[in-house]
Amino acid sequence: MALYCMRRRFWRAGGWFVIGCWLAAGCGSVPESGSPAPGKRSANAARPAKAAARSFERAVEAHARYAAAVIQEMNGETQLAEEGYYQAALQDPGDDTLTLAVSERFLRRQQTQRALEVMLRAAEQPDASGRVYARLGEIYVRLDKPAEAEAASRVAIRKAPGTIAGYRNLVQLCMARQQPEAALKVLDEAARQTGVGADFLVTLAEMYAGVGLKAAALKDEANAAARGLLNRAAQTGALTPLLRLKLADGYLLLGDAERAAEFYLEVLKRPPDLPLVQERVRANLTSIYLRGSDHPRASEQLRAILRDDPTNPQAYYYLGRLALEDRQPAEAVEAFSKAILLSPDIESAYYYLAVAQMEVAKPGEALATLEKARQRFAQSFAMEFYTALAYNRQKDYAQAVRHFIVAEVIAKATDPGHLNEGFYFQLGAACERNGDYAQAEKYFQQCLQLAPDFAEALNYLGYMWAERGEKLPAARELIERAVKAEPRNAAFLDSLAWVLFKLGQPGEALPHALRAVELSEQPDATLFDHLGDIYHALREPDKARAAWRQSLAVEPSAEVRQKLEANTPP
C-alpha cells in the first residue's frame, strides 16, 4: 500500500509537471483563461481557437488516463488498467502513437476485438496515417477477415509506401491462401520502392526468405531477391548496431556465412544495447567457424564468451569438442569436466569426457565418468558402447564384449543406424582379443558386408587367419585388398608378408616385410620379429638374429629371446 501511495504522489507531482510543460509549449496558440483579447474577434474567428483548445484538452486527458493505467498495471490492477488504456485511446483517437500503443497492448493480451474498436475509431479520423491502416489490416488478418485486411493494407501502402507493415499483412494473407507466387508479387512491389531505409530493406529480405522456406519451388528466386536487398541495405551507409545484427542474421539465414561473419564482427565492435547480444553473436560466429572447420577462430569466440560468462557450460562443451578433434585430449578433459560441473544434465558431455580420458590413457577414470552417467541417465547405446571401449582400453576384453553386446541389443530396438561397420569392427576386435575367434570372424564378416572395402577390417580378419594358419588363401586375398587401398600402410604390408610366410613363400614375403619396417613411423617389435622369422626361413641367420635383437630392443619378449638364443652359435 505504501508503494501504491508513493506512486500516486509521484503521478500527481510528475503528471502536473508534464501538463505544465504542455501548457507552456502550447501557450502561443492557446490563450490562458481570463487573458484579455488583443482585439475584437468575430464568433467565427474564435471557433478554430476553441477547437484547438478542445483538441488540446482531449490530448491532455487521454495521456492522463494512459499514465494512470500504467500505474494501475504496475500495482496489479489489470482490469482497471485495461479499461484505462481503452478510454485513453477513445478520448483522443487522432493520436497515432497513443492508439497504436494501446492496440499493441490489447493484441499482446489476445484482446483482438478491443484492439479493433480502438483502431476503427483511429481510422475514422480525416488524417489517419498509413500506420493506423497497417495496424487495422494486421488486426483483420488475425480475425481471419481477408477482404477487410487487404483493403486496409492497401490504404496503408498508398498512404505510406515506404512502411513495411502493409506489405507484411498482404504477404501473410497470400501465404494463408497458399499463394506464394502472389506473395512474391507483393514483395516485388515493395522492393521497387526507392528512398527507403536499411531497416525496410532488411525486413523485406527476411520476408522473401520466409516465403522461400515455405515454398521450395520458389526458394532460389526468393533467396536471390533477399540477398539483393541485404546488399542494398549494406550499401546505405550509416547502419545502427541493431541493423548490422539483422544484416548478419539475414546473411546467415541465406547461407552466406562469410558475409554474416563480417557483420557479426562489426557488431562486436559496437554492440547494440540489448541483453545477451554479444553472447548470441559470438555463438553464431562460433557456429560459422565450426562449419568451416576454422577451429582457431571458433576457440577464440568461445573463450571470449567465457571471459564474459565464466559459468557458461555450452562454451566449455564446445571447447572440449574442438580439443578432441584437434587431438588435445588433456584440454578436452578439462573443458568437459567444467561443462559437467556447471550443467550435470548434458548427457553427451559424459561420453566425450570418457573418450578424452581414454585418450590420455586413463580408462579407469573413463569408467568412473560413465558410471556417473549411468546413475543419472537412462541406459542407452552410447552409454554401453563407450563403456565397452573403456574396458577394451583396460584390456578387460570379456567385459568389453559384454557391453558391446548390450549396446547392440539396445540399438536393434531403438536405432539400428548405430550398428555400422565401425561398431562391428570394434566388437570383432574385442572378441578376437578375448580369444573367441569364431565370434570375431562372425562380426568381421558383418562389418565387411556393410563396408566391403573397409581396409582395417580386411587386414584384421586376414591377419587373424594368417596368425592361426587358417584359410590362408582367403586371408591373402583380404590382406592384398587392404594393401591395394593403402599401399604405404606398414601394418598392412607386414600382414601381407606374414601371410606369404605362412604360405611357405618367404622370398615373396621379404620385400613386403622390409617395406613395412621402412614405412613404420615408430620402431615396431612385431615387424622386426616377423622379419627375423622370414630371414631364418631364407637361411640368413645373421640377418635373422639382427632383426630379433631389434625386436627385443623395442619390447622384451620371452618368445623372441628364445628364438634368438636357439639360433645363436655357442
Side-chain angles (χ1 to χ4, degrees):
M1 181 59 73
L3 177 61
Y4 175 82
C5 294
M6 181 181 73
R7 286 173 174 163
R8 284 290 192 187
R9 286 197 295 273
F10 173 80
W11 159 241
R12 286 169 183 157
W16 282 112
F17 171 77
V18 172
I19 293 172
C21 291
W22 286 339
L23 289 170
C27 67
S29 59
V30 182
E32 294 182 10
S33 176
S35 60
K40 185 177 179 181
R41 295 180 298 172
S42 67
N44 288 337
R47 284 175 187 166
K50 289 180 180 178
R54 284 197 299 272
S55 176
F56 177 75
E57 289 169 2
R58 283 198 303 270
V60 171
E61 180 63 23
H63 280 270
R65 287 178 182 273
Y66 187 89
V70 171
I71 299 298
Q72 288 165 339
E73 187 172 24
M74 291 171 64
N75 288 330
E77 299 170 325
T78 306
Q79 290 185 338
L80 286 174
E82 289 178 356
E83 185 61 28
Y85 291 133
Y86 180 66
Q87 292 300 328
L90 296 185
Q91 183 71 28
D92 191 9
D95 186 333
D96 289 0
T97 302
L98 177 64
T99 55
L100 289 169
V102 171
S103 65
E104 177 66 23
R105 286 177 178 272
F106 285 141
L107 289 176
R108 284 203 303 266
R109 291 167 171 76
Q110 306 299 316
Q111 297 184 24
T112 313
Q113 195 62 42
R114 215 162 201 198
L116 177 62
E117 293 174 25
V118 169
M119 296 316 298
L120 282 173
R121 287 287 299 274
E124 290 172 357
Q125 306 307 304
D127 57 348
S129 68
R131 292 193 304 159
V132 167
Y133 279 97
R135 175 59 54 78
L136 188 57
E138 177 189 348
I139 293 169
Y140 279 131
V141 169
R142 295 195 185 200
L143 291 172
D144 195 22
K145 293 186 176 182
E148 293 89 339
E150 183 170 356
S153 299
R154 282 296 175 190
V155 174
I157 291 171
R158 187 177 72 249
K159 284 177 170 282
T163 302
I164 199 70
Y167 301 106
R168 182 189 289 113
N169 295 340
L170 293 178
V171 168
Q172 289 178 348
L173 287 172
C174 293
M175 297 305 291
R177 296 168 179 165
Q178 304 296 314
Q179 297 174 341
E181 295 88 353
L184 281 187
K185 288 182 180 178
V186 173
L187 294 174
D188 291 342
E189 177 187 347
R192 288 192 290 271
Q193 300 301 320
T194 58
V196 293
D199 191 35
F200 180 97
L201 296 171
V202 172
T203 304
L204 191 58
E206 292 170 351
M207 292 163 64
Y208 268 111
V211 172
L213 286 173
K214 294 180 180 178
L218 301 174
K219 184 174 182 179
D220 290 343
E221 178 184 352
N223 284 358
R227 190 172 288 105
L229 287 164
L230 292 178
N231 292 339
R232 277 178 63 186
Q235 294 168 3
T236 56
L239 294 171
T240 66
L242 186 56
L243 275 175
R244 284 193 176 90
L245 179 60
K246 291 181 71 175
L247 270 172
D249 288 343
Y251 279 120
L252 186 60
L253 179 64
L254 295 174
D256 192 341
E258 184 175 347
R259 286 286 275 168
E262 175 187 335
F263 281 98
Y264 280 134
L265 289 171
E266 288 186 18
V267 170
L268 288 177
K269 295 176 186 175
R270 290 182 58 194
D273 187 17
L274 293 171
L276 303 179
V277 164
Q278 286 200 56
E279 183 175 333
R280 181 170 76 81
V281 168
R282 292 193 186 282
N284 286 347
L285 279 170
T286 301
S287 178
I288 290 169
Y289 295 144
L290 285 175
R291 286 201 297 269
S293 297
D294 189 342
H295 289 191
R297 288 205 284 182
S299 295
E300 178 186 352
Q301 294 304 322
L302 289 168
R303 295 188 190 284
I305 290 172
L306 288 170
R307 281 197 299 271
D308 295 335
D309 179 12
T311 61
N312 188 311
Q314 291 293 336
Y316 282 116
Y317 175 83
Y318 283 107
L319 274 177
R321 293 280 299 270
L322 288 173
L324 263 185
E325 290 184 32
D326 292 340
R327 298 184 179 181
Q328 297 172 331
E331 291 185 16
V333 168
E334 180 181 359
F336 286 124
S337 297
K338 288 180 179 178
I340 291 170
L341 180 65
L342 293 166
S343 182
D345 291 328
I346 305 178
E347 183 174 359
S348 59
Y350 291 82
Y351 307 134
Y352 283 119
L353 174 56
V355 170
Q357 288 167 329
M358 286 184 250
E359 290 298 310
V360 294
K362 295 181 178 179
E365 291 184 11
L367 287 170
T369 296
L370 292 164
E371 183 58 31
K372 290 178 183 177
R374 195 177 298 277
Q375 292 171 6
R376 181 173 286 273
F377 307 107
Q379 188 181 38
S380 65
F381 169 85
M383 185 182 294
E384 298 301 327
F385 178 74
Y386 289 112
T387 301
L389 291 181
Y391 276 119
N392 222 10
R393 291 293 183 95
Q394 274 198 331
K395 299 185 179 181
D396 189 344
Y397 301 120
Q399 284 284 12
V401 170
R402 185 174 74 82
H403 285 280
F404 275 131
I405 295 298
V406 174
E408 181 185 31
V409 171
I410 293 172
K412 285 180 177 178
T414 58
D415 187 356
H418 288 306
L419 302 178
N420 55 22
E421 65 273 18
F423 174 82
Y424 283 113
F425 177 83
Q426 292 287 350
L427 179 50
C431 288
E432 185 270 336
R433 290 165 183 160
N434 197 41
D436 192 340
Y437 302 108
Q439 286 294 98
E441 180 178 335
K442 168 189 166 184
Y443 291 123
F444 283 130
Q445 294 286 18
Q446 281 185 264
C447 170
L448 291 170
Q449 284 176 5
L450 292 168
D453 297 324
F454 187 179
E456 286 282 353
L458 290 168
N459 176 71
Y460 204 125
L461 179 56
Y463 183 79
M464 184 181 80
W465 281 338
E467 184 73 359
R468 294 176 56 76
E470 301 173 350
K471 305 180 183 179
L472 294 178
R476 177 178 180 175
E477 180 186 349
L478 293 180
I479 295 168
E480 284 178 339
R481 286 167 58 192
V483 171
K484 184 178 180 181
E486 297 183 28
R488 295 179 60 82
N489 188 306
F492 296 177
L493 288 166
D494 174 69
S495 296
L496 182 56
W498 195 237
V499 74
L500 289 169
F501 172 80
K502 290 282 189 171
L503 284 166
Q505 300 171 17
E508 290 185 37
L510 181 60
H512 298 298
L514 290 171
R515 183 67 169 154
V517 169
E518 177 189 347
L519 291 174
S520 181
E521 294 182 1
Q522 300 291 335
D524 187 294
T526 300
L527 269 58
F528 286 119
D529 180 28
H530 289 171
L531 181 61
D533 288 358
I534 292 168
Y535 275 130
H536 182 261
L538 290 170
R539 302 180 185 280
E540 297 188 45
D542 292 341
K543 291 182 178 180
R545 287 192 293 270
W548 286 329
R549 289 191 187 98
Q550 286 178 290
S551 177
L552 290 170
V554 176
E555 181 181 311
S557 166
E559 182 181 353
V560 175
R561 181 162 298 281
Q562 184 178 2
K563 285 190 287 187
L564 177 60
E565 290 175 352
N567 289 277
T568 298

